[in-house]
Amino acid sequence: MKRIGIDVGGTNTDAVLIDGEKVVSAIKFPTTADVMQGVVNAIGHVVASQAPGASPIDAVMIGTTHFTNAVVERARLERIAAIRIAMPAGASLPPMIDWPDDLRESVDPLSFMVHGGHEYDGRPLVPLARDEIRDAAMKIRDAGITSVGITALFSPLTAECELEAAEIVRSIIPDARITLSHTLGRIGLLERENVTLLNAALQGLGRKTIDAFKDALNQAGVNAPFYLTQNDGTVVLADVAAANPVYSFASGPTNSMRGAAFLTGLKEAMVIDVGGTTSDVGCLVGGFPREANNVVEVGGVRTLFRMPDLLPMALGGGTIIDPETRKIGPRSVGYRITEKALVFGGDTLTTTDVAVAAGLVEIGDRDRVKHLDKAMVADLLKRIEAMVEDGVDRMKTSAEGVSLIAVGGGAFLIPERLKGASEVLRVEHAGVANALGAAMAQVSGEIDQVFSGMSRDNAIAEADRLARQRAVDAGADPKSVVTLDTEDIPIAYLPGDARRVRVRVVGDIAFMKASQKQAS
Amino acid sequence: MIRDFEASEIDPLAVGAWILGTGGGGSPYLAQLNLRKLYKEGKRVKLLDPLALDDGDAVAVVSKMGAPLVGQERLVDPAHLARAMQLMEEYTGRKFRAVMSVEIGGGNALSPFLAAAMLDIPVVDADAMGRAYPEAQMTSFAIGDLPMYPLTLVDCRDNEAIVAKAASWKWMERISRKICTEVGSTSATCKAPRTGKEVKEWGVLHTVTKAVSLGRAVLDARAAHTDPIEAVLAHEGGKVLFKGKVADVDRTTTGGFLRGAAQIEGLDDDRGSKVELAFQNEWAVAFRDGQPIAMTPDLICLLDTVSGEAIGTETVRYGQRVTVVALPAPAVLTSPKGLEHVGPRAFGYDLDFKSVFAA
């Protein structure tokens, strides 16, 4: 099975080609102003590295920060309409109440709160107000808005209201692109609605981006299904991703950690991913990044996304050092390292210069850092070591020494021996761990809903079955699906032994046989 | 005596209240959003020192009641809390001078503020627990054997109920809980009105101020990159009991409550040791390697080791890095009569109360 993994970052576009477990080729290109040209170049390079007559590529996995960046930059978002079906509940907190003002303005929303929705036990809160939805749809149509987010009370348990509202909207706006909250979110109306509306605002960009990737693949002569990596190290089919850009928000660090797991074969370890400006320290648990404890904000919006638990540190290859005080960072020369750093003829002392002077790595012109005082270089290395040790210590969950895998373009900054680490692992291709992580991503399925009127065991079994079904629907090979995480919370005060069950499963991608591909 | 409650105090109040919630009481986030919005609309709340109450003043005691999970969907609405108070005024024929919280722990710390902003009456700087507890008979007013009725309960669909009388605090709990469950397990309630004299004698005083300054200490520590947990301990005279990682959470619903235990495996100095945190909505007893090391009414708080943020009994989960701390309880709860209501036996543990802070 041959896969291409691509990671489109702000500084570099990385690509790798793997065949089974073997890395065939890898390349790092600076990200170009025309992002897609960089993608075409990167794919072209890894494809061309194959022997003539090689078998075709089975799949392409792309990790991108496109969608997160759009939210963070308040750019490329489209005008949206929000329909919330929960009245008379929640009237005091209208949609987007907790969005930053500038983000809300950039999507210029039309918001409607209509009567309907359900209770936790499946009873209607009040009858669904179809006429209110019709009125809203006509106003949305008259405003020329085509991207609509619909959120109904307790829809993760009962999606009826959302589905019916979508039909009404579609009957009035046939070309509407509608996001339904129950397909994206968990219990927690405000956070689920936030995600739904972010998703609505990214509809146009989602489609455009996927189409551009498709073109890039065609230009590079690759005809294979392609996937986008998600926040949790798994992937979804590109066409699913186009409809749900929010699934693909965070991928860089996640992919790096998954790549580190792949390169070392370790399932439990710590990973430090050293970039140009920052490093991320994270933990692998069962081969996946450990999730964060707390609510995750994207571009200032509160969501219930699963995101990796990462400790960002202001330490990268371009981090600026003050030679007077010997203070390291937090500022960095970033992508301008090739003009600013001493080894490239610049006038700014960076961590890379120190590493070159100490003989840790060969970058640029070593003679340009010959003059650096040996004692200072040694002292700075000590300081870097202390920073890394502190970061590792803060993320560690056991006092025993753990294996630390160093990846990323600046991995040379990580010392050979560290307090708290039993070993520091460096691996070939560490610089493109993110693209590797993308290449080996899996698909997941998740269920998070309230079950009542059945035993705990039955509820968990049922949730597991539904999660597996979701994973298979998303492209997983049913035989490879394993349960990754299961959690159940009986609900205080609720009758009928009600419990909220959350199950997450992952599986390998079921690649269609060539014959099936032609048939579809 | 009476002062403006500043907009800048809203967030610290929420942070402090969530810590004092001892695992229960629900996250204050939605109430926080509501209060910020009311302030943005120009509404203001005044904070009244309970010692400035006249003996004959009528004081409302308001709270959200129900399942935290339902609260996450059916977002709290200030209008309903205000309506519960008005309904009580209509029923009793008496005007309220001020409003107070039944529990300073969790989201209910902000409930009186939401009602007060709507009705333009002051909030009393006091509550009836100094923390959070699950049931009506676990208040300082119940410990003081004060009258437990009437109670009003309001739902978003114009369902309004009045419990005119109850035979005991426990009966009031049972009857009102039944109504609450029927309207979808979330409602706004106004508990038995209190007189100024009762508040001064039996309230837990100045807890709003305390929650705000606790929250501020945590937020300042975060901003300065110092240890927020140290800030909590210094502020409250608390003790660290244990540091570790959540290894397992076992929850069961019995008798309409969330009961169970979180297992925490020790890290750092506590390695090789295990703590079990037993809970009934709130953390009730902490056992270290089988031996009780802290118990209600001492406040047992589970905090995120890095941020100092409180973790609730419904949100605690596998893998979280946590610090268990104990904070001293208000004197009314540790009195012999108080222990009958909220000591370990009130939660079904056959233990004599032994405070973490006993000399």
Side-chain angles (χ1 to χ4, degrees):
Chain A
M1 159 141 51
K2 276 175 151 174
R3 283 176 278 173
I4 291 177
I6 301 170
D7 186 276
V8 188
T11 326
N12 291 300
T13 295
D14 301 343
V16 297
L17 170 62
I18 59 176
D19 189 352
E21 302 275 290
K22 192 167 135 283
V23 180
V24 178
S25 65
I27 184 75
K28 214 182 231 311
F29 273 109
T31 297
T32 46
D34 171 13
V35 173
M36 289 307 154
Q37 195 50 51
V39 174
V40 172
N41 295 348
I43 298 174
H45 180 94
V46 293
V47 171
S49 69
Q50 300 185 100
S55 59
I57 306 290
D58 290 302
V60 179
M61 275 80 165
I62 300 177
T64 176
T65 48
H66 259 64
F67 304 128
T68 328
N69 292 350
V71 175
V72 171
E73 295 166 23
R74 321 294 198 226
R76 303 177 294 284
L77 302 169
E78 69 186 284
R79 195 171 180 208
I80 58 170
I83 300 177
R84 183 199 287 173
I85 309 166
M87 288 291 277
S92 64
L93 298 175
M96 290 168 271
I97 177 89
D98 59 351
W99 284 34
D101 292 340
D102 59 349
L103 181 61
R104 195 183 312 109
E105 283 154 20
S106 71
V107 298
D108 189 18
L110 270 188
S111 285
F112 302 89
M113 297 205 276
V114 305
H115 286 77
H118 283 85
E119 301 264 34
Y120 68 90
D121 59 2
R123 288 181 297 172
L125 181 80
V126 293
L128 179 65
R130 295 172 182 83
D131 54 335
E132 292 177 23
I133 296 169
R134 247 186 301 280
D135 287 349
M138 289 189 231
K139 289 196 176 87
I140 294 166
R141 178 194 61 197
D142 296 345
I145 298 173
T146 55
S147 190
V148 184
I150 302 177
T151 308
L153 191 63
F154 275 111
S155 67
L157 312 187
T158 328
E160 277 169 47
C161 289
E162 287 184 6
L163 294 168
E164 191 165 345
E167 266 177 52
I168 295 170
V169 170
R170 214 167 269 123
S171 70
I172 292 166
I173 316 170
D175 61 342
R177 282 155 309 153
I178 303 172
T179 302
L180 301 181
S181 85
H182 74 272
T183 63
L184 291 175
R186 295 154 55 177
I187 301 283
L189 182 99
L190 220 51
E191 290 85 359
R192 187 171 73 249
E193 181 176 68
N194 284 346
V195 168
T196 302
L197 298 175
L198 282 176
N199 199 63
L202 289 163
Q203 286 299 299
L205 183 67
R207 197 63 262 171
K208 269 206 286 283
T209 305
I210 298 299
D211 289 341
F213 279 134
K214 265 192 186 139
D215 288 348
L217 289 171
N218 283 336
Q219 275 185 53
V222 174
N223 176 22
F226 82 99
Y227 300 80
L228 242 55
T229 65
Q230 296 185 72
N231 309 335
D232 61 356
T234 58
V235 290
V236 284
L237 272 165
D239 288 318
V240 178
N244 300 309
V246 291
Y247 277 156
S248 308
F249 264 151
S251 65
T254 306
N255 288 341
S256 296
M257 293 187 67
R258 296 276 295 141
F262 171 78
L263 288 167
T264 57
L266 292 177
K267 294 223 182 273
E268 315 282 326
M270 291 190 70
V271 178
I272 184 160
D273 177 9
V274 190
T277 303
T278 54
S279 299
D280 288 309
V281 185
C283 287
L284 283 169
V285 179
F288 278 80
R290 183 178 69 205
E291 279 178 35
N293 273 356
N294 36 10
V295 170
V296 174
E297 290 195 351
V298 176
V301 178
R302 193 179 156 101
T303 71
L304 291 178
F305 278 130
R306 297 183 313 263
M307 294 277 190
D309 185 10
L310 295 169
L311 177 75
M313 293 166 43
L315 176 69
T319 301
I320 298 167
I321 297 174
D322 181 341
E324 295 302 310
T325 60
R326 298 190 183 175
K327 190 171 174 302
I328 300 170
R331 287 182 34 247
S332 161
V333 294
Y335 67 92
R336 293 162 71 194
I337 186 162
T338 49
E339 53 186 272
K340 293 277 186 191
L342 299 183
V343 291
F344 292 110
D347 58 0
T348 310
L349 178 63
T350 66
T351 47
T352 294
D353 298 316
V354 172
V356 172
L360 297 178
V361 65
E362 286 184 30
I363 296 176
D365 180 355
R366 199 172 164 176
D367 287 347
R368 293 183 187 272
V369 290
K370 265 201 321 221
H371 65 281
L372 293 179
D373 176 55
K374 291 251 183 310
M376 180 182 81
V377 168
D379 178 48
L380 287 168
L381 288 179
K382 268 266 163 262
R383 285 166 184 254
I384 290 171
E385 187 176 328
M387 284 170 84
V388 176
E389 280 175 350
D390 179 61
V392 168
D393 187 61
R394 284 173 57 185
M395 291 302 284
K396 258 173 64 162
T397 47
S398 84
E400 284 154 41
V402 287
S403 302
L404 177 72
I405 311 166
V407 297
F412 56 81
L413 287 175
I414 308 304
E416 289 304 320
R417 305 191 62 79
L418 276 176
K419 252 205 307 276
S422 57
E423 55 180 342
V424 176
L425 296 164
R426 291 169 207 288
V427 280
E428 204 193 351
H429 304 303
V432 291
N434 49 8
L436 270 166
M440 50 159 309
Q442 297 176 288
V443 284
S444 68
E446 187 181 6
I447 282 291
D448 178 2
Q449 66 179 60
V450 173
F451 295 85
S452 59
M454 59 173 90
S455 73
R456 176 167 189 251
D457 289 352
N458 288 350
I460 292 171
E462 178 62 9
D464 199 71
R465 189 184 67 76
L466 291 167
R468 281 167 185 266
Q469 190 51 54
R470 281 199 182 174
V472 171
D473 291 346
D477 172 2
K479 287 191 291 294
S480 71
V481 175
V482 292
T483 304
L484 198 67
D485 190 13
T486 180
E487 167 182 68
D488 72 298
I489 308 172
I491 298 158
Y493 314 119
L494 299 189
D497 195 21
R499 60 186 62 247
R500 176 176 172 182
V501 184
R502 181 179 153 222
V503 173
R504 230 181 116 223
V505 301
V506 292
D508 295 328
I509 293 168
F511 291 103
M512 290 187 288
K513 300 280 179 288
S515 58
Q516 291 171 289
K517 245 186 266 184
Q518 282 151 359
S520 64
Chain B
M1 287 322 224
I2 188 159
R3 66 171 186 86
D4 292 329
F5 186 82
E6 305 292 342
S8 63
E9 296 178 90
I10 297 173
D11 292 3
L13 172 60
V15 171
W18 194 206
I19 291 168
L20 296 173
T22 57
S27 162
Y29 180 69
L30 296 167
Q32 216 176 328
L33 282 182
N34 271 305
L35 191 53
R36 275 192 220 143
K37 178 166 165 258
L38 291 165
Y39 266 60
K40 219 170 166 174
E41 290 164 2
K43 302 254 197 316
R44 285 293 174 273
V45 176
K46 291 209 180 311
L47 190 65
L48 176 68
D49 188 321
L51 301 176
L53 285 166
D54 293 334
D55 285 357
D57 284 338
V59 178
V61 184
V62 300
S63 79
K64 286 182 299 144
M65 180 173 182
L69 175 117
V70 175
Q72 285 180 53
E73 285 284 317
R74 282 180 50 178
L75 319 174
V76 58
D77 188 334
H80 304 140
L81 289 157
R83 177 60 202 147
M85 268 179 71
Q86 286 171 318
L87 180 61
M88 185 64 83
E89 287 183 331
E90 289 165 15
Y91 179 68
T92 60
R94 294 199 55 200
K95 275 266 173 238
F96 285 119
R97 158 84 197 281
V99 57
M100 68 180 280
S101 170
V102 71
E103 54 185 1
I104 196 68
N108 267 333
L110 282 83
S111 295
F113 285 84
L114 302 183
M118 300 288 288
L119 301 173
D120 198 22
I121 70 165
V123 170
V124 181
D125 187 358
D127 78 316
M129 291 182 189
R131 49 169 298 162
Y133 273 129
E135 300 181 51
Q137 75 281 2
M138 295 176 172
T139 59
S140 57
F141 299 143
I143 294 166
D145 284 329
L146 305 181
M148 65 291 302
Y149 55 84
L151 171 144
T152 60
L153 184 150
V154 171
D155 164 51
C156 68
R157 287 158 296 198
D158 291 333
N159 294 308
E160 299 184 348
I162 297 167
V163 181
K165 199 166 180 188
S168 67
W169 281 96
K170 272 210 166 149
W171 270 112
M172 176 54 87
E173 164 64 29
R174 288 171 64 179
I175 295 166
S176 56
R177 180 76 54 193
K178 214 49 171 188
I179 301 169
C180 175
T181 306
E182 197 49 45
V183 296
S185 286
T186 189
S187 55
T189 60
C190 184
K191 318 285 190 200
R194 303 271 65 108
T195 64
K197 185 166 184 288
E198 288 172 334
V199 173
K200 285 181 280 187
E201 278 181 11
W202 286 102
V204 184
L205 306 187
H206 305 122
T207 46
V208 172
T209 301
K210 171 174 151 167
V212 169
S213 88
L214 171 61
R216 195 167 276 143
V218 171
L219 291 170
D220 287 351
R222 271 187 222 161
H225 296 294
T226 55
D227 185 355
I229 292 182
E230 279 304 321
V232 172
L233 300 176
H235 191 277
E236 293 297 304
K239 284 186 182 166
V240 169
L241 299 177
F242 200 72
K243 238 192 174 101
K245 184 183 124 174
V246 179
D248 182 49
V249 182
D250 176 26
R251 303 174 171 97
T252 49
T253 309
T254 49
F257 295 103
L258 188 67
R259 289 199 175 95
Q263 307 291 340
I264 302 159
E265 279 172 0
L267 294 174
D268 307 340
D269 297 347
D270 294 316
R271 271 192 71 227
S273 204
K274 219 175 173 171
V275 155
E276 176 177 313
L277 280 188
F279 57 86
Q280 181 177 328
N281 284 10
E282 282 78 27
W283 311 114
V285 183
F287 299 91
R288 181 172 183 149
D289 302 326
Q291 294 305 308
I293 54 166
M295 60 191 78
T296 169
D298 278 352
L299 280 67
I300 300 170
C301 310
L302 189 67
L303 307 178
D304 180 301
T305 296
V306 176
S307 69
E309 181 132 355
I311 295 173
T313 52
E314 291 225 337
T315 60
V316 61
R317 66 163 203 258
Y318 178 86
Q320 287 173 320
R321 278 131 301 133
V322 295
T323 302
V324 185
V325 305
L327 310 179
V332 64
L333 303 182
T334 56
S335 67
K337 181 83 170 52
L339 292 175
E340 283 174 31
H341 288 255
V342 298
R345 284 193 179 82
F347 290 83
Y349 297 95
D350 192 19
L351 296 168
D352 292 322
F353 173 64
K354 184 166 173 292
S355 175
V356 168
F357 305 96

